[in-house]
Amino acid sequence: MYQVAVIIVTGLLASHWPRNCIRSSNQRFRAATQSFLQIQESDQFFVDESGASWKALSESGGFCNQIYTSVNDNQVANQPTTGTMKIMKMYSDLAMKRIRLSGNKNFDEIMGDLGLGPVIFNSTEKYVIMEELIGRVLSNEDLLTPSSIHLQSVARTLAKLRCVQSLDENECRENMLWSCCNALLEQLNGNNEKLYQTYSTQLRHQKLVLEALHLPLVLGHGDFKPSNVIILGDSGEARLIDWETCGCHYRAYDLAKFFRAVEPHTNEEHQLLSRNRFTFIKNYCDNVGATRGASTDDPTWVSLESKLLLPMTWLEAALFFHCKSYDEGSEVDLYTNYAEQRLRSYGKSLKQWEVDLKEYQSLSCK
């Protein structure tokens, strides 16, 4: 049985295929999209070679990519008007490093075809053009809403993702979590040796403990959080966006990241979040079982697994933001602050992690 030492994080605080032939065979589309590769993130408005107009949505670009929306939709990619605008996402260098880890599977297109994400009109390793999803972004407050219908919908969508056959669970040989972290470490290595060494130590310890538990690996989103969930306005169904880290993941990693998005401030909020969390996990497990005809997922076990993975969600996020702070043109102080906030959360989570780890090991021995 593992004797897990408390990890001190104050040192950290101090210091798809990429398809050869694209989806559309329309030659005008192919020529027009080449111009997207020349776009600078500072551009707020431009017209591509096909005559389609695009404008930047800087406020919705997220932490990693730049987002553009079509202005005159009927001209975009020579496609007929659909009644909705199209969105173009230009990947950052960090995002492209993650995409290259996805085993040459374009999960944006796969999930769009399956109705789990937006429909994709064109994609390359550097950008993706998709439909605009009409609805609202799930909020952290939704996690504290009693008997939320939206959370039931999100649980169904996550279960559908789990059951997608594009990546057979038996073929999961490399966990995307560790692959992504290694890619981020490589980015950090040439910029800050002290941070690189400290993160390496933390990650080695987490991997040693988690791999020894033999947690189940499944097809997961990898960046499953409320801001990456859209609730459609017409049906109330949930769609997921930002599939760059989709691949082979620990079964409960998405669940751990999803519910860590909100921190309860009162005992009432804590109890409500705890109930919503377990109800969500039970709905998820039930939907996996209904889809497959049988389920080996016990909600109690899956819930405990998600608690064991909570520190890693914070550590991976801290590493990402420290790497982002070294990107050319990045707001260094802003992203460093984001990284240090998540490192503090990582440190705070370790004490409860040891308690949960002992509980998991005890139950495993029975």
Side-chain angles (χ1 to χ4, degrees), residues 48-115:
D48 67 32
E49 293 176 2
S50 71
S53 299
W54 298 83
K55 64 179 179 180
L57 295 178
S58 300
E59 70 278 5
S60 63
F63 297 118
C64 205
N65 307 303
Q66 180 60 61
I67 308 299
Y68 296 86
T69 183
S70 58
V71 177
N72 48 339
D73 179 72
N74 62 313
Q75 294 185 31
V76 176
N78 200 28
Q79 297 283 335
T81 300
T82 61
T84 62
M85 294 189 295
K86 291 182 177 65
I87 301 295
M88 180 182 67
K89 177 166 66 175
M90 184 74 70
Y91 295 123
S92 69
D93 290 341
L94 275 179
M96 285 192 286
K97 285 186 177 182
R98 288 173 163 180
I99 292 169
R100 295 187 186 108
L101 298 171
S102 63
N104 289 341
K105 288 178 180 282
N106 189 327
F107 285 108
D108 279 293
E109 291 194 10
I110 293 172
M111 301 308 168
D113 290 344
L114 293 171

Side-chain angles (χ1 to χ4, degrees), residues 241-278:
I241 60 174
D242 289 356
W243 294 92
E244 289 93 300
T245 54
C246 182
C248 191
H249 286 279
Y250 291 122
R251 172 172 61 180
Y253 186 77
D254 281 340
L255 299 167
K257 192 162 190 175
F258 187 69
F259 279 95
R260 71 116 207 252
V262 60
E263 183 176 353
H265 298 290
T266 66
N267 185 55
E268 182 181 3
E269 286 186 348
H270 180 81
Q271 292 178 356
L272 179 57
L273 181 63
S274 180
R275 287 197 300 270
N276 281 353
R277 180 177 173 275
F278 188 79

Side-chain angles (χ1 to χ4, degrees), residues 16-35:
H16 243 197
W17 291 263
R19 306 194 181 205
N20 294 326
C21 53
I22 58 180
R23 171 177 293 272
S24 173
S25 61
N26 186 296
Q27 295 302 313
R28 185 180 178 196
F29 189 13
R30 189 184 299 246
T33 52
Q34 296 306 311
S35 65

